[in-house]
Amino acid sequence: MAVPLLFAACASVPRDASLPIEDPYEGTNRPIMKANQEILRPAAVVVDAAIPGPVHERLRDFNSNLKEPRIFVNNVLQGRVEAAAHTSARFVMNSVFGVAGLWDIASREGLQQESGDFGQTLFVWGVPAGPYVVRPWLGPATTRDAAGAVVDMFTDPVGYAIGSRVWLSVGQSGLDAAEKLGQLKQAEDASIDFYSFVRSAYYQQRRAELRQAIGQENVVDSPALDDPDATEPAPSTPPPPSPPPAKKKKK
């Protein structure tokens, strides 16, 4: 009885997944990001050099499959019945036919992984995002998502099953952060301000995940959201219609 009432209450809460970037702690965030780069990037380079490509792909698929129970729980908490069904189907398919998730069979069959974490759930419940923060080891987040990540760490069903909830989540997050930094190396070399680039990329991805939670996947971000000084281009005014040609008088 309580769950339907909760979903009904959440449905009445106004939600906006296009909030502008709020970064009052930039002076603290920048050195934390720099420290993360110095710690995580060498680890990513060593992993890439030491682990062959096919093995790395299997580890990535295995890590992705471990996240499915957590995603399922948050899909349910968000009232996303179809997403929860997709997530459970993916987990069963990959765990059985993908050899404990070492192969992502579900994605090959067109069943892509859903988004779902407790930060996203808090958004659906109407909790505001709060300022942007960069966490040691774990990387960028809003304060809402950082709090949600702590809940995910302590309530991960897989962590309960293996008896190592927090360390499993910390390890997964560090692996994800190192992989993303490795992928962004080329962007860092070409970027004037890599901090701003990463912050913008985080917000773009996060907004897409939040919109997915409330069924607004097709909404496109405005450039003004990422740059407070940017303005939307003024719509061009169509030229007035040409007057019809004058009729010739009959002689």
Side-chain angles (χ1 to χ4, degrees):
M1 182 67 180
V3 173
L5 290 176
L6 177 61
F7 289 155
C10 294
S12 63
V13 177
R15 297 183 295 266
D16 184 2
S18 300
L19 295 174
I21 291 174
E22 182 184 353
D23 189 7
Y25 308 130
E26 182 174 347
T28 304
N29 288 336
R30 283 182 178 271
I32 294 176
M33 177 178 164
K34 185 66 175 177
N36 285 345
Q37 289 176 266
E38 293 176 355
I39 295 171
L40 291 172
R41 177 156 292 139
V45 171
V46 170
V47 169
D48 286 340
I51 301 178
V55 176
H56 192 269
E57 290 176 5
R58 300 289 69 77
L59 290 175
R60 183 171 61 245
D61 287 349
F62 180 71
N63 180 43
S64 179
N65 195 54
L66 289 177
K67 297 176 183 177
E68 299 288 7
R70 183 204 72 192
I71 294 173
F72 172 80
V73 170
N74 282 287
N75 290 161
V76 172
L77 291 174
Q78 295 165 22
R80 299 165 60 197
V81 178
E82 185 176 353
H86 287 174
T87 300
S88 59
R90 274 183 53 88
F91 184 66
V92 171
M93 186 181 300
N94 287 336
S95 297
V96 175
F97 301 105
V99 191
L102 290 174
W103 280 268
D104 188 357
I105 304 298
S107 292
R108 297 178 188 177
E109 296 299 322
L111 196 60
Q112 301 300 320
Q113 188 174 54
E114 299 283 345
S115 62
D117 55 69
F118 198 69
Q120 189 186 57
T121 299
L122 291 174
F123 162 74
V124 172
W125 291 356
V127 177
Y132 176 77
V133 293
V134 179
R135 302 163 294 172
W137 182 262
L138 302 178
T142 60
T143 51
R144 175 183 62 205
D145 292 339
V150 174
V151 175
D152 284 330
M153 286 182 185
F154 283 94
T155 59
D156 187 352
V158 175
Y160 270 104
I162 67 176
S164 180
R165 298 185 299 277
V166 176
W167 290 113
L168 173 66
S169 297
V170 169
Q172 287 178 326
S173 300
L175 180 63
D176 291 341
E179 185 173 7
K180 288 177 182 177
L181 282 175
Q183 294 170 348
L184 292 174
K185 182 65 173 70
Q186 185 175 359
E188 179 180 6
D189 294 339
S191 177
I192 298 175
D193 184 359
F194 188 55
Y195 173 85
S196 298
F197 176 86
V198 171
R199 182 181 61 189
S200 178
Y202 167 78
Y203 270 89
Q204 293 285 340
Q205 179 181 354
R206 194 56 176 161
R207 288 168 187 154
E209 293 170 348
L210 298 180
R211 287 171 183 147
Q212 186 179 27
I214 56 176
Q216 295 182 353
E217 294 95 330
N218 296 327
V219 178
V220 179
D221 271 339
S222 160
L225 294 173
D226 293 325
D227 182 358
D229 298 325
T231 55
E232 294 284 356
S236 57
T237 305
S242 303
K247 294 182 178 180
K248 293 183 179 180
K249 293 182 180 181
K250 294 182 179 180
K251 294 182 180 179

